[in-house]
Amino acid sequence: MKKSIQGIIKILLILILSLSVGAIFILAIGENPLVAYTALIKGAFGTKLGLGTTIAGFTPLLLTSIAFAVAAQAGAFNVGVEGEVILGGITAAYIGINWGFLPVPALYIACFLGAMIVAGLWAFIPAYLRAYYNVSEVCVTILMNTVALYIGSYLVSGPMSAGTANPQSDPVLVTLPKIMKPSAANVGLFIAIIIVVLVVFMIYKTKWGYKIRAVGQNPFNADYVGISSKKVFINAMILSGMLGGIAGCIEVLGVHGYYLDNFAKDLGTNGMLSALIVRSDMLFTPFIAFFIAVLKSGAMAMQQSTNVPKSIVDTVSAVFIIIATMEFVIEFRKRSKLNKMAKGGNK
Amino acid sequence: MSILESVGKVFNLSLIYATFRASTPLIYAALCAAITQQANILNIGTEGIMLVGAFSAVAVSYFTGSWILGVLVAMCMGALISMIMAVGHIKYNSEICAIGMGINLFAIAITKFLLQTIFNTNGVFASPDIVPIPRIHIGIFDKIGVLNSLFNDWCFTEWFVIIFIFLLQFVFYKTVWGLRLRAVGQLPQAAQTAGIKVNKIKYQAMLISGMIGGLAGAHLSLGYSAQFVENMTNSRGFMGVAAMYFGGANPILTSIGCLLFGFSDSVGARLQAYGYPAQFVLMMPYIVTVIVLAVSMYIKLSSSKKRQSSLVNN
């Protein structure tokens, strides 16, 4: 318990630090950081539309951040969540448009299952290459993101095109009901929460999850005690891909109602960002994901009401990660404690 | 007949320069990753270093009218960014992938921010006031058709990269510093026992890597083109890292990997004219990179396994 409180204090300290770095940038372009940050908070929570947009943005981030964190538990650095979201989305769109012969509840399930299978298979490729041929999964997943983007873009402007000027598909037959009109927030939020709770439970309370964590901490030790580290690694990556696929499915069925080219822009990156800030601690990751969603949805309002461009938000969150990956805050606290002990000993 | 004709149009003499032209930014990026890899640091931040370099080169060249100053400032900014990574990784124990991705996101965000605040544009910044890196025109080659199409009007940094590859090869394998660098990368404890200051070498490697990365960016924005586009590196940094893996951080082998990726890129660009969907053409270099990387790692792994088993048999 004490450890988690320390963790929270650390995150808050870094938050203040990175917000002040952002404030310096805002001051440098001659604006008032307090006004800008207030506008941001107001934009994210002030109106029903703002709050709904925040929640709609939070839903996929929750899944993508947990997707990254699950892979990280097994020691993988899965930058490919974005590609998995894209392929999950296009699969859900394909099934949602063409499989009208299924009764409605089965069609929902088919969409989600299809998205999970395709995205899981996509994640299997880098996982297999890493586990058996030691190919850097960071490199492969990043390059495969671009490939996935072009696959989606090709399908939606070619075979699956609705014939509109914008590259998008026909509307899907089933959609997830909206919960806060006129915003895009939808029932997907509850699906995401249930899935994330299940995944966190699986990782921390089941034998299967224990294996993943064991492999992440020390693959050689895991092999030694009879856990096949390669298979577990691949399993974790597939699970991570499936979570990305679900995020894509929810975006297509819930937010848009059709497949829109480039709909997954930054979803994977921001999820990765949320997980990296807390070093893929699965209990804290959802809260950071929410915080990032607030920043993103408030940024637009900030840009409209002040002269601060919304890219400042991305800068602040990048600084947040850079500082958060370093261990100096903990070290500093330890050192001050040691100093105290040393002083106490002298007395 | 028509197929033969179009094959001839795709694979002709100018393809050689097109390949080299597409490869040069990748080679710089790969060398940026290679030097830290020799010290066993995976420089995932190559992409971010390049992007910051590209932006500062364009900005300085625009305001001062000097491409040399632009390149120098880009190298300094690259070094600055890589030092942030170095301090985080070496002193404060950051996981290198995590801080590297942080640097990449930071680079995208800060260049976008500065583009909006300094130049008041979104997306693309191009201006006739940007002075590009000059192209070297060799008068003698004008009369000889083959040499003219092959070697004339190369960008200064394109000539330089050839020298640079061999220079780095020499530094890595023929100098004391290179030996120390590789010793640090292979077994830091042994290096330390031998009296090598491990962290100092690592900082030096990161510093030089940052400067190369900055140069890579400057070449991309001032040599390869004469403009700055948001996220203009477009995963070239990661392709460089992939090529580095392909060549095992050996500068010459790494550059060969880059040429392979550059070749697929320029062939793809020509195929687009023959009615292949743009997306397939655009994704080709990425797929080729992944496949080449996987095959080369597979070969490396099986050859090292063979070596191990022969040791046991002896």
Side-chain angles (χ1 to χ4, degrees):
Chain A
M1 196 60 209
K2 205 182 162 199
K3 205 177 163 192
S4 64
I5 288 173
Q6 256 186 3
I8 294 170
I9 292 173
K10 189 192 162 194
I11 292 168
L12 287 178
L13 273 177
I14 299 170
L15 172 66
I16 294 166
L17 206 60
S18 41
L19 282 178
S20 29
V21 172
I24 294 171
F25 280 117
I26 297 175
L27 279 176
I29 58 168
E31 292 287 326
N32 185 343
L34 282 179
V35 173
Y37 286 146
T38 319
L40 191 149
I41 298 291
K42 259 190 200 158
F45 294 112
T47 58
K48 197 181 171 193
L49 177 64
L51 185 62
T53 309
T54 306
I55 290 174
F58 171 59
T59 310
L61 275 193
L62 180 62
L63 285 164
T64 52
S65 63
I66 285 293
F68 183 88
V70 163
Q73 296 294 328
F77 199 93
N78 184 12
V79 196
V81 178
E82 199 148 314
E84 288 140 19
V85 174
I86 292 170
L87 289 180
I90 194 94
T91 314
Y94 178 80
I95 295 174
I97 295 164
N98 295 323
W99 288 18
F101 54 84
L102 286 176
V104 169
L107 190 53
Y108 277 113
I109 295 169
C111 284
F112 275 93
L113 277 183
M116 283 164 72
I117 290 169
V118 170
L121 286 176
W122 190 251
F124 170 79
I125 301 171
Y128 184 83
L129 290 178
R130 167 76 205 201
Y132 288 96
Y133 302 143
N134 202 20
V135 184
S136 161
E137 80 276 22
V138 184
C139 252
V140 175
T141 48
I142 287 171
L143 297 172
M144 283 176 65
N145 275 350
T146 315
V147 177
L149 183 66
Y150 287 133
I151 291 177
S153 170
Y154 166 71
L155 287 175
V156 86
S157 51
M160 282 172 68
S161 170
T164 50
N166 241 7
Q168 63 184 52
S169 72
D170 290 321
V172 287
L173 299 173
V174 284
T175 54
L176 298 172
K178 300 259 186 344
I179 49 174
M180 284 181 81
K181 281 179 184 170
S183 77
N186 56 69
V187 180
L189 174 69
F190 305 115
I191 301 175
I193 290 176
I194 293 168
I195 287 170
V196 165
V197 169
L198 274 178
V199 168
V200 172
F201 178 81
M202 250 156 60
I203 291 292
Y204 285 108
K205 296 289 173 201
T206 64
K207 204 167 121 190
W208 192 76
Y210 171 75
K211 279 184 185 172
I212 288 185
R213 285 183 295 134
V215 167
Q217 273 165 8
N218 190 339
F220 304 108
N221 185 51
D223 273 328
Y224 185 71
V225 297
I227 302 170
S228 165
S229 66
K230 289 176 178 171
K231 276 183 191 152
V232 171
F233 182 92
I234 292 176
N235 283 343
M237 278 289 277
I238 292 178
L239 177 62
S240 167
M242 285 176 162
L243 289 171
I246 295 171
C249 182
I250 289 176
E251 282 291 284
V252 166
L253 297 187
V255 175
H256 304 293
Y258 47 83
Y259 181 90
L260 184 67
D261 194 19
N262 218 357
F263 79 101
K265 193 170 187 307
D266 290 342
L267 288 184
T269 319
N270 290 330
M272 174 180 75
L273 206 146
S274 322
L276 277 181
I277 286 171
V278 285
R279 299 175 165 229
S280 303
D281 183 307
M282 298 184 75
L283 295 176
F284 287 136
T285 301
F287 296 101
I288 298 291
F290 184 71
F291 172 71
I292 297 287
V294 169
L295 279 187
K296 296 284 164 190
S297 85
M300 202 63 209
M302 181 186 73
Q303 181 168 314
Q304 278 160 358
S305 60
T306 65
N307 280 325
V308 183
K310 62 179 178 165
S311 49
I312 190 72
V313 164
D314 298 323
T315 314
V316 168
S317 37
V319 172
F320 204 158
I321 309 186
I322 292 173
I323 305 175
T325 56
M326 303 185 190
E327 282 177 353
F328 71 101
V329 183
I330 299 171
E331 266 179 19
F332 176 73
R333 289 175 59 84
K334 267 186 201 157
R335 207 174 293 158
S336 65
K337 216 179 245 177
L338 277 177
N339 283 346
K340 263 184 204 162
M341 277 165 68
K343 274 179 196 163
N346 284 343
K347 275 172 193 171
Chain B
M1 182 62 197
S2 68
I3 292 171
L4 265 181
E5 249 173 33
S6 45
V7 165
K9 269 181 194 159
V10 172
F11 296 96
N12 56 15
L13 213 53
S14 62
L15 182 65
I16 297 177
Y17 175 62
T19 297
F20 184 66
R21 184 173 179 273
S23 311
T24 317
L26 297 180
I27 296 177
Y28 278 117
L31 294 179
C32 165
I35 190 162
T36 57
Q37 186 66 27
Q38 292 283 8
N40 200 17
I41 301 173
L42 175 59
N43 195 348
I44 283 290
T46 305
E47 175 93 2
I49 296 172
M50 268 175 90
L51 195 58
V52 169
F55 180 81
S56 29
V58 160
V60 171
S61 165
Y62 174 77
F63 284 118
T64 64
S66 155
W67 66 270
I68 299 182
L69 219 57
V71 172
L72 287 179
V73 170
M75 287 169 75
C76 292
M77 292 310 288
L80 180 74
I81 297 285
S82 78
M83 281 331 271
I84 296 175
M85 276 174 76
V87 171
H89 177 61
I90 300 167
K91 192 164 183 198
Y92 294 116
N93 267 332
S94 300
E95 199 201 335
I96 191 69
C97 286
I99 197 164
M101 288 313 292
I103 289 286
N104 292 337
L105 297 179
F106 177 72
I108 293 175
I110 193 75
T111 49
K112 199 172 171 187
F113 176 73
L114 291 175
L115 200 63
Q116 282 166 334
T117 50
I118 298 179
F119 299 113
N120 283 321
T121 56
N122 269 318
V124 185
F125 174 66
S127 150
D129 291 336
I130 299 172
V131 181
I133 298 172
R135 299 193 162 268
I136 298 172
H137 186 81
I138 304 168
I140 315 162
F141 288 173
D142 276 348
K143 289 161 196 160
I144 314 161
V146 177
L147 289 181
N148 189 32
S149 64
L150 276 186
F151 294 114
N152 233 344
D153 294 325
W154 278 24
C155 183
F156 177 75
T157 32
E158 282 168 353
W159 280 112
F160 181 68
V161 78
I162 299 175
I163 306 167
F164 197 60
I165 294 165
F166 290 100
L167 181 74
L168 267 192
Q169 185 83 8
F170 178 77
V171 168
F172 283 174
Y173 299 106
K174 301 286 175 201
T175 63
V176 176
W177 188 79
L179 182 68
R180 287 188 181 155
L181 178 70
R182 286 182 294 130
V184 166
Q186 279 176 6
L187 209 80
Q189 289 90 344
Q192 199 159 21
T193 318
I196 299 170
K197 288 192 175 108
V198 172
N199 281 353
K200 194 176 153 198
I201 297 275
K202 281 189 174 175
Y203 275 118
Q204 285 168 346
M206 284 299 282
L207 187 71
I208 299 171
S209 163
M211 287 162 73
I212 303 173
L215 182 59
H219 170 70
L220 191 65
S221 65
L222 288 184
Y224 186 80
S225 59
Q227 57 179 10
F228 181 82
V229 186
E230 252 174 45
N231 195 13
M232 76 185 295
T233 45
N234 211 354
S235 294
R236 282 195 180 84
F238 299 114
M239 283 180 162
V241 174
M244 181 276 294
Y245 270 115
F246 168 81
N250 174 316
I252 292 178
L253 292 180
T254 299
S255 309
I256 293 173
C258 293
L259 287 173
L260 213 59
F261 303 156
F263 179 72
S264 69
D265 193 18
S266 43
V267 168
R270 283 158 188 234
L271 286 181
Q272 208 163 349
Y274 295 96
Y276 292 93
Q279 288 92 353
F280 281 123
V281 170
L282 288 170
M283 73 167 89
M284 213 158 84
Y286 299 90
I287 295 177
V288 170
T289 308
V290 170
I291 293 172
V292 167
L293 190 60
V295 170
S296 70
M297 291 306 278
Y298 172 72
I299 292 170
K300 237 176 254 173
L301 202 71
S302 56
S303 75
S304 77
K305 261 184 193 161
K306 245 181 223 165
R307 230 176 286 148
Q308 272 175 358
S309 65
S310 68
L311 276 179
V312 173
N313 289 338
N314 287 343

